Amino acid sequence: MPTNNELKMPVFHIDDQPVEFHPGEKILSAALRNGNKIPHYCYHPGMSIVATCRMCVVDIVDLGNGRPAPKLQTACSVDAAEGMKVDTMNQKVEEGRKLVNEFLLINHPLDCPICDQSGECTLQDYSFEYGSGKSEMDYSKRVYGWRDIGTFVSLERNRCIQCSRCDRFTREITGTNEFGMFNRGHELTVDTFTDRTMTNKFQGNMADICPVGAITEKEFRFKRRAWKLKKNRSICTGCSTGCNVTIEHDRNEVFRLKPHENQNVNKWWMCDEGRLTYRIMNERKSRINRPLGRVGENLEGISWEEAYGAIAERVREMAPLAQNVIALTDTHASNEELFLIQKLLKDGFSSDNIFCPLPNWEQIESDFFINTLITTDKTPNRAGALALKIKGDAKNAKLKEAVKSDLKVVFVLGNPFETEHDLQQKIKTAQLVVHIGAYHNSWSEIADVVLPGQHYSEKIATYTNKQHLVQATDIAVKALRRSRPEWQILSELAEALGQNYDFTNINQVFDSMSRETKAFSGLNFDQIQSNGIELAQTAKDSGKKLIKAAA
């Protein structure tokens, strides 16, 4: 690790421990970055500093010039200085925190048993750790009614501690100015302007940043206690932005997605539409729960061995040429799955006829970063498909030309071209149609063999977002017993067709992809870690159109 002199960063002291800081950085920011704990409510690294909660008070015993500060100072608003000495745990600071915490609790109701925030409430934690346990208040608390403030969140004003995070969020982050603080003193409250509900697409973030239970997600209300939820780091596959998230689940049921900080992708935020993608993770009625083979007009359950054997036998009988074999895939497929289905066609049939839908899409340009998270490309791996040179165009002209030949074998991965009914009817005439996917759709209805895959929350995989950043998912919930990850299905299918891939885990597939493709050349699966890694070679996306956000 580089020394302080090598970094040339100034140093101040917190509780006699040296802390490096950037010139102009606040005490609280430097402390949190270096792992020091200072309680706070109103401070958020992505928004302006207001120092309204006063919970982050510290005692500056030396301002860096040998003189102490005359009174307790808010760590969020005071610049760190070379030689400064700060105490965060002496008696003076502890007494100050107790008084602040007592003041914040004056009108706060004892809602913990029924509050959705219970278990992840900052006020609850700080009251236990820093509170006095008593109150001098002996008169009735101020009471407000419940408010429906938006399509995604609800407001319980009685619980508000006036930290102003929500107000600053709509002013500084979304730029919609829909929310504000009204009145003064004892009657200070938060609400929407003119009693109109909010319509911005990022309301869930207000629930995330609210330190108490004043703003909560409607989707999650009264569904599960926070301490029961298990959390797994992943990405959102609702669009090509690839926001970093945590999948929060209990008893193999997903209850919500929360944004996870990644300054290179989504910072601290995500859109409400992305949050709702948790619903498909719990879908069971349309899941393919076992391998299926067509017997007459019906699909019947078979074993994996029977499925692979039937496909291999049928292919041997037909002995198809390269032009008789095509593969269709959507861009919800991971990098590894796209690579393997491409490799299967190339090695097994000497064919490069693999196609994916590549419609034109729009990307918003805006002065507010959060608006750039929105895109009309609602698939997570378009950039990965382009990097691997999967064929496709906005009008599907290449595919329509390819299906004019005598089709014998068609592999379908996921649910591509779902609205192209004429195309499906043409492919239906092929002698063998194999569908690989997690859910029943129009392709499974016409397939001769259906192989059950897994949702991204059930497997490890990588996806390439619109910034050409390769990011990984992790296993959050258990997959259906008789399903398998698509990379494994494709590898086993290739072996049944006479290829020797011998992949036993996703790392080996990724390493093979990095050796055999230019775009992923030199990349290593272990390098992806938490922030992702950029492609070695990017492909131009001719379907992308930049549009200016509405004022």
Side-chain angles (χ1 to χ4, degrees):
M1 183 176 179
T3 65
N4 292 342
N5 290 333
E6 289 172 343
L7 291 172
K8 296 182 180 179
M9 289 180 66
V11 175
F12 74 113
H13 287 75
I14 296 180
D15 298 323
D16 298 324
Q17 298 298 316
V19 174
E20 298 172 343
F21 68 94
H22 301 289
E25 189 174 13
K26 307 300 180 184
I27 295 173
L28 180 58
S29 174
L32 296 176
R33 186 169 47 78
N34 284 274
N36 299 83
K37 184 179 179 181
I38 297 178
H40 58 280
Y41 294 114
C42 66
Y43 171 79
H44 189 282
M47 295 186 286
S48 62
I49 293 168
V50 290
T52 58
C53 75
R54 320 304 290 179
M55 193 64 189
C56 66
V57 289
V58 294
D59 187 13
I60 304 177
V61 296
D62 188 339
L63 289 165
N65 56 9
R67 299 176 182 176
K71 58 182 180 180
L72 295 179
Q73 302 291 319
T74 49
C76 67
S77 61
V78 177
D79 289 348
E82 181 80 51
M84 178 182 281
K85 295 180 181 179
V86 178
D87 279 353
T88 68
M89 295 185 292
N90 63 24
Q91 185 176 354
K92 187 177 177 182
V93 173
E94 289 179 0
E95 184 63 28
R97 285 177 184 158
K98 286 181 180 180
L99 292 172
V100 168
N101 208 69
E102 182 181 341
F103 176 74
L104 294 175
L105 288 170
I106 284 177
N107 285 301
H108 196 85
L110 187 57
D111 276 358
C112 299
I114 62 165
C115 180
D116 272 318
Q117 193 77 358
S118 185
E120 54 185 3
C121 174
T122 312
L123 182 64
Q124 199 175 47
D125 295 339
Y126 289 169
S127 295
F128 177 78
E129 191 167 354
Y130 304 109
S132 63
K134 59 182 178 66
S135 175
E136 300 296 330
M137 178 154 175
D138 59 358
Y139 55 90
S140 299
K141 294 179 182 285
R142 175 201 61 213
V143 177
Y144 288 115
W146 176 86
R147 290 276 292 122
D148 184 6
I149 59 169
T151 53
F152 206 82
V153 292
S154 296
L155 172 65
E156 177 56 80
R157 290 178 291 177
N158 296 329
R159 301 171 186 164
C160 180
I161 60 171
Q162 289 86 43
C163 71
S164 79
R165 280 184 174 187
C166 50
D167 172 34
R168 283 176 285 150
F169 178 81
T170 61
R171 283 191 289 110
E172 301 171 11
I173 306 302
T174 65
T176 52
N177 295 287
E178 299 165 283
F179 209 72
M181 304 190 74
F182 301 89
N183 305 325
R184 291 291 182 269
H186 184 68
E187 299 300 323
L188 181 65
T189 185
V190 294
D191 207 338
T192 56
F193 287 97
T194 63
D195 290 336
R196 294 180 181 176
T197 56
M198 294 186 297
T199 57
N200 79 71
K201 299 178 180 180
F202 306 97
Q203 297 170 33
N205 297 287
M206 296 173 68
D208 295 337
I209 63 178
C210 182
V212 294
I215 300 177
T216 52
E217 286 184 32
K218 290 180 178 179
E219 278 285 315
F220 185 66
R221 283 173 69 85
F222 311 123
K223 288 189 176 178
R224 195 63 100 237
R225 282 301 194 183
W227 57 82
K228 290 183 177 290
L229 297 177
K230 302 173 185 67
K231 302 179 181 182
N232 290 83
R233 178 81 181 269
S234 190
I235 62 171
C236 173
T237 59
C239 75
S240 57
T241 301
C243 292
N244 285 220
V245 300
T246 53
I247 300 176
E248 304 193 2
H249 57 97
D250 180 44
R251 298 182 183 180
N252 222 46
E253 180 180 0
V254 178
F255 286 92
R256 64 183 181 184
L257 301 184
K258 289 279 192 179
H260 192 287
E261 181 184 352
N262 186 334
Q263 292 295 313
N264 297 325
V265 182
N266 57 306
K267 296 188 177 179
W268 305 271
W269 322 116
M270 71 180 296
C271 71
D272 296 337
E273 186 179 350
R275 292 171 191 269
L276 293 178
T277 59
Y278 85 93
R279 292 175 178 175
I280 192 66
M281 300 179 190
N282 299 322
E283 173 60 40
R284 289 293 181 267
K285 290 183 180 180
S286 62
R287 284 298 296 265
I288 304 170
N289 55 22
R290 59 179 176 174
L292 302 171
R294 188 166 296 280
V295 179
E297 295 296 318
N298 301 316
L299 287 171
E300 296 184 3
I302 57 177
S303 69
W304 282 99
E305 291 72 21
E306 289 172 331
Y308 293 142
I311 295 170
E313 182 180 353
R314 194 79 181 95
V315 169
R316 281 195 296 270
E317 290 174 357
M318 291 185 290
L321 300 175
Q323 64 268 25
N324 303 135
V325 182
I326 68 169
L328 310 180
T329 177
D330 59 25
T331 46
H332 284 275
S334 70
N335 293 316
E336 295 79 13
E337 293 156 12
L338 294 175
F339 166 71
L340 283 177
I341 196 168
Q342 187 180 51
K343 185 176 176 64
L344 171 63
L345 257 66
K346 180 181 178 182
D347 296 347
F349 304 97
S350 301
S351 172
D352 63 351
N353 290 329
I354 173 171
F355 301 89
C356 70
L358 292 175
N360 295 328
W361 62 288
E362 296 177 344
Q363 174 59 53
I364 293 175
E365 288 184 313
S366 175
D367 294 333
F368 294 93
F369 166 80
I370 200 168
N371 290 330
T372 65
L373 301 182
I374 300 290
T375 171
T376 61
D377 178 18
K378 299 304 179 183
T379 64
N381 206 27
R382 179 187 176 105
L386 289 170
L388 290 167
K389 295 181 170 55
I390 307 295
K391 294 180 180 180
D393 56 85
K395 296 183 178 180
N396 303 324
K398 296 177 182 178
L399 175 57
K400 290 175 181 177
E401 185 65 29
V403 297
K404 290 179 180 179
S405 61
D406 179 24
L407 294 180
K408 292 184 177 181
V409 182
V410 180
F411 297 99
V412 181
L413 180 59
N415 190 22
F417 309 102
E418 66 269 26
T419 60
E420 296 285 340
H421 303 299
D422 292 341
L423 175 65
Q424 292 177 6
Q425 291 304 312
K426 174 65 178 176
I427 288 176
K428 187 178 180 179
T429 62
Q431 296 182 44
L432 176 63
V433 179
V434 179
H435 175 240
I436 304 170
Y439 300 95
H440 284 288
N441 52 46
S442 56
W443 292 110
S444 61
E445 292 175 3
I446 66 173
D448 299 297
V449 180
V450 179
L451 303 176
Q454 296 176 353
H455 191 265
Y456 87 93
S457 60
E458 302 167 348
K459 62 189 177 184
I460 300 173
T462 67
Y463 298 83
T464 308
N465 74 357
K466 64 188 182 186
Q467 298 168 287
H468 309 291
L469 201 65
V470 181
Q471 302 183 104
T473 64
D474 199 358
I475 298 172
V477 292
K478 292 181 180 178
L480 298 180
R481 183 169 59 88
R482 286 177 286 192
S483 68
R484 294 179 181 177
E486 282 82 346
W487 70 262
Q488 182 179 342
I489 295 173
L490 291 165
S491 178
E492 292 170 347
L493 181 56
E495 291 179 9
L497 294 172
Q499 304 303 312
N500 184 23
Y501 288 174
D502 197 28
F503 295 124
T504 58
N505 58 56
I506 196 74
N507 301 56
Q508 293 176 351
V509 180
F510 190 91
D511 290 344
S512 178
M513 180 171 61
S514 68
R515 289 193 301 270
E516 297 181 29
T517 63
K518 291 181 179 179
F520 292 86
S521 177
L523 304 188
N524 184 282
F525 189 85
D526 295 329
Q527 292 176 320
I528 299 173
Q529 297 178 344
S530 59
N531 292 322
I533 185 170
E534 196 167 345
L535 282 178
Q537 181 177 315
T538 60
K540 183 181 179 181
D541 190 345
S542 59
K544 178 180 179 180
K545 179 182 179 182
L546 298 175
I547 61 170
K548 192 69 177 176

